[in-house]
Amino acid sequence: MKKKIYLFTILLFCAIAAGWTKDALYNGEEYSIALSYTDIAAPGDAIFVRLRFESKVRENEKNDSSLTSALLLIPEIGQCEFYPVPINTIGNKAVKEFLAAIPLSTYQATGNLELQIIYNAFGSETMEFSLPVQITPREFVKETIPLDSDNTAIRTDNSPERIAQINKLNTILATIHPDAIYQTEPFTPPTDATRRTSFFGDRRTYVYTDGTEASSLHYGIDYGIPTGSPVAACGAGKVVLAENRISTGWSVVIEHLPGLYSLYYHMDSLMVREGQMIRQGDQIGVSGATGLATGPHLHWEIRLNMAAVSPDFFTQDFSFSSKHQ
């Protein structure tokens, strides 16, 4: 049976590109909780929660100083497990910090939601509390893109090779390694260019050479840059895919956090290999127009728990790292 606790909201301030964050605090007899979370977001963003538990009992006086479980739940959307974030301990008190995030679909309805956190801390009984979240409107661009014969062939390719490439990518994006904590600080764009030729969440209509049409969502940001322009990793992490794909050309996927990946498409050549560890800002290749492309550009995409989320959201302090040092 779960028991409820009540947190006191102590601060409200602007922190995320599309919204706000709140801080809250709970003081109990055996432990305290400090948390930061995404309070206001838009469709295509994510809800991040960072929890900090501190035991009020000395570690050597308590048999169980572990946090056995913590779950983030938004009933209308989904749920996910918290994962531990390494921190420096404070004296001889048990201090543990955790992070979790749930992506919002680009079709997410606006309005008020409630997120729930269920946890078991330092051997105590299972507890839960709720926090309010507001989803605000976001407008998405609509565009029609005529395809030539080469791009029509790519878009309609149902070959075993293309299907295998899609399945491989989906398997990677569905993988969550709880210990893959490579970067919690804000991401940086993969290019110095600022000209965007397509935007996150664009509602696209492709027109094939035979006149038929197909609808699609654009999952990332396209930068209009010449072939051969340097492409950098938006954050530290592990290269989990580096290959030439039918649809996306020379492509790289980097794992940054459990379930959080960045993707780079249509490059002319690569400078990294699968399994390689890289730092934020390391060059991973040069831009091009390979795969399904109507001209030279770089496609930059972020996936969280398989869902495409706005890359701009992650160029701010999405995990509240500056407040939990």
Side-chain angles (χ1 to χ4, degrees):
M1 180 179 179
K2 299 185 290 292
K3 290 189 176 182
K4 287 194 174 184
I5 65 169
Y6 297 92
L7 284 83
F8 176 55
T9 301
I10 58 175
L11 183 63
L12 176 65
F13 63 97
C14 185
I16 299 295
W20 300 69
T21 68
K22 270 188 178 177
D23 289 349
L25 180 67
Y26 166 77
N27 260 317
E29 292 183 0
E30 293 189 348
Y31 61 88
S32 64
I33 303 173
L35 72 83
S36 301
Y37 79 102
T38 309
D39 173 51
I40 302 176
D45 289 340
I47 303 296
F48 270 79
V49 179
R50 190 158 182 154
L51 292 171
R52 185 185 184 95
F53 292 85
E54 181 174 348
S55 173
K56 294 185 176 181
V57 179
R58 296 178 184 274
E59 270 195 297
N60 57 8
E61 295 176 0
K62 193 169 181 65
N63 292 328
D64 188 356
S65 64
S66 64
L67 181 78
T68 57
S69 65
L71 177 72
L72 173 62
L73 171 65
I74 304 180
E76 299 87 346
I77 302 175
Q79 66 181 45
C80 65
E81 298 283 345
F82 280 84
Y83 51 86
V85 179
I87 60 168
N88 295 323
T89 58
I90 301 176
N92 57 0
K93 296 292 185 66
V95 179
K96 296 183 179 296
E97 199 157 296
F98 297 83
L99 192 64
I102 293 179
L104 300 177
S105 165
T106 59
Y107 292 102
Q108 174 65 46
T110 58
N112 296 321
L113 298 175
E114 189 174 80
L115 63 84
Q116 299 173 4
I117 296 175
I118 303 168
Y119 71 92
N120 179 296
F122 304 112
S124 66
E125 60 188 322
T126 300
M127 307 288 282
E128 69 172 303
F129 57 88
S130 301
L131 297 166
V133 173
Q134 182 182 356
I135 310 301
T136 59
R138 168 179 274 164
E139 296 294 327
F140 293 99
V141 174
K142 294 182 180 180
E143 61 178 347
T144 300
I145 303 177
L147 299 181
D148 60 19
S149 57
D150 289 341
N151 283 323
T152 293
I154 292 174
R155 188 71 172 72
T156 58
D157 186 344
N158 293 317
S159 66
E161 180 183 3
R162 182 167 181 257
I163 298 302
Q165 290 175 353
I166 293 172
N167 290 338
K168 177 181 177 179
L169 177 60
N170 286 339
T171 298
I172 290 171
L173 298 178
T175 302
I176 298 176
H177 296 116
D179 58 346
I181 315 294
Y182 302 122
Q183 174 144 343
T184 58
E185 293 77 20
F187 290 171
T188 52
T191 172
D192 292 334
T194 57
R195 186 173 75 92
R196 300 182 178 190
T197 54
S198 291
F199 303 91
F200 169 75
D202 287 359
R203 274 56 171 155
R204 287 181 165 180
T205 299
Y206 288 110
V207 182
Y208 300 144
T209 51
D210 63 1
T212 59
E213 298 181 351
S215 298
S216 177
L217 279 178
H218 189 240
Y219 289 145
I221 295 170
D222 285 351
Y223 292 94
I225 53 179
T227 295
S229 301
V231 177
C234 67
K238 181 179 181 180
V239 178
V240 292
L241 183 144
E243 66 182 25
N244 191 13
R245 305 176 73 244
I246 293 172
S247 295
T248 60
W250 286 105
S251 306
V252 170
V253 178
I254 301 172
E255 180 182 34
H256 302 286
L257 286 170
L260 183 62
Y261 298 86
S262 62
L263 300 82
Y264 314 77
Y265 288 164
H266 309 297
M267 289 190 280
D268 194 63
S269 62
L270 307 184
M271 299 174 63
V272 293
R273 64 186 184 280
E274 291 182 13
Q276 182 177 341
M277 302 302 299
I278 56 173
R279 298 165 300 179
Q280 184 174 35
D282 283 351
Q283 186 171 351
I284 60 174
V286 297
S287 63
T290 56
L292 199 165
T294 58
H297 72 284
L298 171 68
H299 173 96
W300 178 41
E301 184 175 322
I302 303 291
R303 294 290 189 105
L304 172 63
N305 300 341
M306 291 198 73
V309 284
S310 171
D312 288 329
F313 179 89
F314 292 88
T315 60
Q316 302 297 313
D317 192 7
F318 63 93
S319 76
F320 322 111
S321 58
S322 63
K323 299 165 57 183
H324 290 255
Q325 294 180 348

